[in-house]
Amino acid sequence: MLSLFQVLALLFILVLLVKITLKFKNLKMGLGEYLLWVLIWLLLLIVVVFPAMTFIPARWLGLSRGVDVVVYLSIGFLFLLVYNLYLKIEKIEFEITTLVRKISFKNFKLNEKKK
Amino acid sequence: MAEKNVWIVIPAFNEEATIKQVIKSLKKHGWRNIIVVDDGSVDNTPSIAEREDVIVLKHIINRGLGAALGTGIKAALDLGADIIVTFDADLQHKPEDVERLIKPIIQGRADVVIGSRFLNKEYLKGMPLSKKIGNIGLNIITYLLFGAKTSDSQSGMRAFSRKAAQTISIKTNRMEVSSEIIAEVARKKLKKAEIPIKAIYLRKGQSVWDGFKILGKLILKRLME
């Protein structure tokens, strides 16, 4: 029997799978990105249904508990995600400044012409 | 003075109380090429500056000190500046210091000159203790993170030769730009000089909290590079 936690986790994963599939179908996501996310969520699905399976990668990595693998991987994944977001925000900030700068130059030239 | 094309860049954010006096006093000392970068002020800063017959560039939204300096320096370069001086809009800098500030560049001894508040002990008397500690702390941080030594990493009064202004790339938008400039000078191996200046604190400038924000941003910048 599945525990309540497993049922909730499965529902959550299924909803996300449907969501990204719809996104992919509406051409809002590339094939590579789509497959990556499907892979990640399917792996999690397996882990949720058969938690004992995580003991295999745990043994490879020299960790005693399967749950540790999941936690470490999740932290690593989150770190990558935050780093990516940081880079994206930096880029957007830079672009906004470039735009604001260009607009200030343009407006100044327009005012000069009016005079 | 006359042979070099010197431009003064004044970044201004809500400085309606002081901007007029700053421009007037600079002009009185013979500095006529002035660019005010209004960084999205919500007060009358831009209209007051425009009445003073200087170039006023207006950011439509606030982008921070780094962005405003970047805009001003780019404009000065476009206008053919040989030397670019950055000058605060809050009356803390003295216009009579500009001539001494640009001297090392004119003499070819430096590419970048920092007006340092820490070189003359007499000048330091007016600085509140929290500012002294904060500034020295940020000097040390700037050195530890970027290997760039300076006696005043947060000074708003600097002079750049045309070459230096073209070489230095300003990427940060906010207050951490001051340390970034110092770091860039070291990284691009530009010749740096420092001259003592006296700063006058009429109003509350940056707070202790601002100092910590700069610290956080600098560490993040170093880590993510």
Side-chain angles (χ1 to χ4, degrees):
Chain A
M1 258 312 271
L2 294 176
S3 69
L4 180 63
F5 170 76
Q6 283 174 309
V7 174
L8 288 176
L10 279 181
L11 274 175
F12 179 72
I13 291 172
L14 284 178
V15 168
L16 283 168
L17 273 173
V18 170
K19 261 193 140 175
I20 54 169
T21 308
L22 284 176
K23 227 180 161 185
F24 175 63
K25 271 199 162 168
N26 294 332
L27 299 175
K28 278 176 184 155
M29 194 187 256
L31 181 67
E33 203 187 340
Y34 174 64
L35 288 178
L36 180 76
W37 282 109
V38 169
L39 187 76
I40 289 168
W41 292 119
L42 283 182
L43 273 174
L44 272 176
L45 196 112
I46 295 170
V47 168
V48 169
V49 181
F50 309 106
M53 293 266 290
T54 54
F55 129 89
I56 301 167
R59 256 223 317 235
W60 294 341
L61 293 167
L63 298 167
S64 53
R65 290 189 311 168
V67 142
D68 291 349
V69 179
V70 178
V71 171
Y72 293 159
L73 279 181
S74 307
I75 291 172
F77 181 69
L78 282 176
F79 181 81
L80 274 181
L81 217 64
V82 170
Y83 182 68
N84 251 325
L85 280 178
Y86 174 86
L87 290 183
K88 261 187 201 156
I89 291 169
E90 284 282 281
K91 197 174 152 241
I92 291 168
E93 289 255 343
F94 185 76
E95 285 167 348
I96 294 173
T97 297
T98 310
L99 273 177
V100 169
R101 186 166 295 151
K102 286 226 166 108
I103 294 166
S104 76
F105 286 166
K106 209 169 179 184
N107 284 344
F108 178 75
K109 273 178 201 138
L110 285 178
N111 284 340
E112 285 295 283
K113 266 182 202 154
K114 266 188 230 157
K115 281 179 197 167
Chain B
M1 196 155 88
E3 65 269 27
K4 288 277 184 192
N5 192 1
V6 179
W7 280 84
I8 315 269
V9 170
I10 308 173
F13 177 55
N14 294 340
E15 304 280 11
E16 65 178 5
T18 50
I19 188 71
K20 186 175 170 184
Q21 210 185 327
V22 169
I23 297 170
K24 278 207 181 323
S25 64
L26 277 166
K27 283 192 169 170
K28 218 170 75 191
H29 284 83
W31 308 109
R32 309 215 72 85
N33 299 334
I34 297 171
I35 299 169
V36 173
V37 183
D38 167 55
D39 193 20
S41 296
V42 289
D43 64 2
N44 293 315
T45 303
S47 48
I48 291 172
E50 271 165 346
R51 262 177 261 141
E52 296 305 313
D53 193 29
V54 294
I55 291 178
V56 181
L57 296 168
K58 288 175 273 190
H59 283 181
I60 48 173
I61 49 172
N62 177 252
R63 294 303 298 153
L65 178 65
L69 284 175
T71 298
I73 290 171
K74 183 163 190 313
L77 285 172
D78 288 352
L79 289 159
D82 297 313
I83 296 173
I84 300 167
V85 174
T86 66
F87 201 87
D88 282 358
D90 61 357
L91 279 175
Q92 74 160 281
H93 296 144
K94 290 160 71 183
E96 50 266 45
D97 285 337
V98 175
E99 187 136 26
R100 281 192 306 128
L101 188 78
I102 62 174
K103 215 173 178 183
I105 297 179
I106 293 174
Q107 294 171 337
R109 287 189 284 120
D111 306 307
V112 177
V113 186
I114 309 293
S116 170
R117 299 161 289 177
F118 287 85
L119 288 177
N120 188 322
K121 286 214 171 73
E122 279 298 303
Y123 290 177
L124 262 176
K125 279 182 181 156
M127 189 186 281
L129 182 69
S130 64
K131 269 192 194 303
K132 273 185 211 163
I133 296 170
N135 273 301
I136 292 169
L138 284 171
N139 290 349
I140 296 170
I141 294 293
T142 305
Y143 175 64
L144 290 179
L145 290 177
F146 305 102
K149 252 188 228 174
T150 175
S151 64
D152 193 353
S153 62
Q154 305 305 308
S155 174
M157 195 177 189
R158 327 165 184 85
F160 303 94
S161 67
R162 183 175 183 83
K163 183 189 102 186
Q166 284 168 330
T167 315
I168 289 172
S169 78
I170 295 177
K171 289 208 189 74
T172 50
N173 283 318
R174 314 257 161 216
M175 286 296 179
E176 63 276 17
V177 68
S178 302
S179 288
E180 184 189 24
I181 289 174
I182 305 283
E184 275 285 291
V185 169
R187 208 161 63 90
K188 304 271 163 74
K189 299 201 165 56
L190 295 165
K191 274 184 287 172
K192 178 170 71 76
E194 295 184 354
I195 64 138
I197 60 159
K198 185 172 167 55
I200 309 142
Y201 297 100
L202 295 173
R203 285 184 293 141
K204 207 172 149 280
Q206 293 200 67
S207 65
V208 175
W209 174 237
D210 288 323
F212 279 106
K213 275 201 288 196
I214 296 173
L215 171 66
K217 290 260 182 74
L218 287 175
I219 292 175
L220 205 61
K221 180 176 158 57
R222 188 72 188 91
L223 281 177
M224 296 296 188
E225 264 172 355

